Amino acid sequence: MTELKKRPVRSYILRQGRLTKYQENGIKRFSSKYTIPFQKSLINFDQVFSKKNKIILEVGFGMGDTTFKMAQEMHDLNFLAIEVHSPGVGSLLNKINLGQLENLKIIQHDALEVINEMIPDRSIDGIHIFFPDPWPKKKHHKRRLLKSSFLELMESKLALAGYIHIATDWEAYALQIIDLVKESKFYKISKRNLNEKPQSRPLTKYESRGLRLGHQVWDIIITLR
């Protein structure tokens, strides 16, 4: 009898939505210049980026506004941004082209597969995960991206002086993440005031909506022990 393969539990549901003509045009015109195709081989960052800067990995950039702003303002860093949804990819591609940024590249694929297959060990100086889906219903908690297995995978990819910056406005998720870090043999929390937004992180549209609803925002920055 053939053994059935278990499907991996994804931290997202692929609802592509309708692409605007502008987003579709961005994908058609600029993908070859600013995206990296998924492949089962390690990235050579010296070939991807024109300058040998530190590498920041962003997992799930939404529509890309924050990603673009950070890359635009921080020319001394290289940004690799991962997203599965085409509208956000198309939107960010247009922004990159308008800004003529050379320090921002996109991979449109599942983040876990990208990290497992394409990211060399000890090559990432910072990992940004801003407002991941909190999957608030208990039966969906298994879909949450931030779990012990993910943190363990990230540990192998981080440079020894690297960090992970997580932002969420979902308190229960924030507390779960804090507990995961405390239980981990790899990490420690390096930021004291978890409800103070670092200047380096721009205010996001999602965050603004959460603040209007009275949500408190948590910025959790963790480093290796």
Side-chain angles (χ1 to χ4, degrees):
M1 183 181 292
T2 304
E3 186 178 345
L4 294 175
K5 286 186 177 181
K6 289 183 68 177
R7 290 184 179 180
V9 177
R10 303 294 190 190
S11 61
Y12 59 89
I13 293 177
L14 199 57
R15 301 188 187 98
Q16 289 291 11
R18 179 176 290 181
L19 280 166
T20 66
K21 288 195 177 295
Y22 187 60
Q23 292 164 350
E24 185 177 7
N25 185 60
I27 291 173
K28 287 180 178 178
R29 292 185 60 191
F30 308 126
S31 286
S32 61
K33 186 174 182 179
Y34 299 117
T35 66
I36 303 170
F38 173 74
Q39 56 193 22
K40 292 189 175 183
S41 60
L42 297 177
I43 295 174
N44 184 334
F45 287 116
D46 290 341
Q47 294 178 355
V48 169
F49 294 105
S50 59
K51 296 181 180 178
K52 293 184 178 182
N53 295 328
K54 290 184 176 182
I55 306 293
I56 305 299
L57 177 69
E58 180 159 4
V59 179
F61 58 76
M63 297 307 291
D65 295 333
T66 297
T67 310
F68 174 75
K69 188 171 183 180
M70 293 185 80
Q72 188 179 44
E73 293 177 353
M74 302 177 187
H75 297 290
D76 58 339
L77 297 174
N78 290 328
F79 289 81
L80 178 64
I82 304 173
E83 179 58 65
V84 292
H85 295 102
S86 294
V89 171
S91 179
L92 183 54
L93 282 169
N94 281 314
K95 291 182 177 72
I96 297 172
N97 182 67
L98 285 173
Q100 291 294 294
L101 299 187
E102 296 183 356
N103 65 330
L104 174 54
K105 302 292 183 181
I106 296 172
I107 299 179
Q108 185 177 6
H109 197 78
D110 174 69
L112 287 176
E113 290 185 17
V114 171
I115 293 163
N116 270 307
E117 302 286 353
M118 298 183 70
I119 305 300
D121 287 352
R122 302 291 176 228
S123 66
I124 301 298
D125 298 281
I127 299 170
H128 295 171
I129 309 169
F130 297 153
F131 301 96
D133 195 327
W135 293 101
K137 293 182 180 179
K138 189 173 182 180
K139 65 179 181 179
H140 292 152
H141 283 186
K142 63 185 177 181
R143 290 188 174 275
R144 287 178 171 175
L145 174 67
L146 291 152
K147 55 187 73 172
S148 57
S149 58
F150 179 80
L151 289 177
E152 187 171 342
L153 173 62
M154 292 297 91
E155 184 275 334
S156 67
K157 306 304 176 181
L158 274 178
L160 295 180
Y163 68 90
I164 303 175
H165 181 177
I166 303 158
T168 180
D169 67 337
W170 202 264
E171 183 176 14
Y173 199 7
L175 295 177
Q176 180 189 20
I177 293 164
I178 292 167
D179 285 342
L180 285 173
V181 176
K182 288 180 178 178
E183 294 166 4
S184 170
K185 63 182 180 181
F186 301 116
Y187 297 105
K188 61 183 178 182
I189 295 176
S190 66
K191 184 175 181 291
R192 292 185 179 180
N193 187 348
L194 302 183
N195 299 124
E196 180 183 11
K197 185 179 78 66
Q199 290 185 349
S200 60
R201 182 177 68 76
L203 190 70
T204 71
K205 290 181 181 178
Y206 186 92
E207 180 179 8
S208 297
R209 184 180 69 181
L211 291 171
R212 287 196 300 272
L213 293 172
H215 295 183
Q216 192 171 38
V217 176
W218 300 70
D219 277 276
I220 305 166
I221 299 177
I222 65 179
T223 55
L224 297 175
R225 291 186 181 275

